[in-house]
Amino acid sequence: MDAMRREPDTGPNETEQQGSRPRRDSLLLMATMTLADDAHPREVRVRNISEGGLMAELATSVEIGTAISFDLRGIGPVSGRVAWCTQGRVGVSFDRPIDPKLVRKPVGGGTTTPEYAKAPATPHTRSFHR
């Protein structure tokens, strides 16, 4: 086959995707995590999230199957179980599916948005008349 006539590789087709895992959104999100046997929640960094689970940074080892819960921005409390644990990271399978797009939505009414980040209410232009 001539290299100039090749079709670009666009990844798996729809049939191949049906048997695969749900799409994961990579992100960096702070969340509150509580282990079943720990009364004190801790802040963790969530690295990716899908409708069925997430991966977070965690400095301690946790046994597979341990009950765990997260308070996720835009979603609220979500429970699950540890699916895997390796040095510095933990994978969690949620007890119920979530909408991962909700964690990306802005929270609050924007009253604390700094002025430099807001669009100007009126244009700040000056006339060039001399």
Side-chain angles (χ1 to χ4, degrees), residues 35-36 62-68 80-85 90-93 95:
L35 291 168
V62 181
E63 193 170 324
I64 294 173
T66 301
I68 194 168
R81 301 238 170 237
V82 174
W84 56 266
C85 186
V90 63
V92 175
S93 177
D95 292 338

Side-chain angles (χ1 to χ4, degrees), residues 32-45:
T32 305
M33 180 201 77
T34 307
L35 291 168
D37 58 353
D38 192 359
H40 304 288
R42 64 183 85 188
E43 290 286 312
V44 295
R45 287 187 189 124

Side-chain angles (χ1 to χ4, degrees), residues 1 5 7 21 33 36 38 46 51 61 66 68 72 78 86 90 95-96 101 113 117 123 128:
M1 174 189 246
R5 296 176 150 229
E7 291 294 320
R21 294 188 274 202
M33 180 201 77
D38 192 359
V46 175
E51 65 183 26
S61 289
T66 301
I68 194 168
L72 298 172
V78 179
T86 189
V90 63
D95 292 338
R96 62 176 171 77
K101 293 176 189 167
T113 304
F128 288 105

Side-chain angles (χ1 to χ4, degrees), residues 126-130:
R126 285 192 236 163
S127 173
F128 288 105
H129 300 295
R130 291 186 181 198

Side-chain angles (χ1 to χ4, degrees), residues 14-34:
E14 189 175 326
T15 306
E16 292 170 330
Q17 288 179 354
Q18 288 175 353
S20 65
R21 294 188 274 202
R23 183 175 178 273
R24 290 186 186 107
D25 289 334
S26 292
L27 50 82
L28 180 59
L29 169 75
M30 296 305 291
T32 305
M33 180 201 77
T34 307

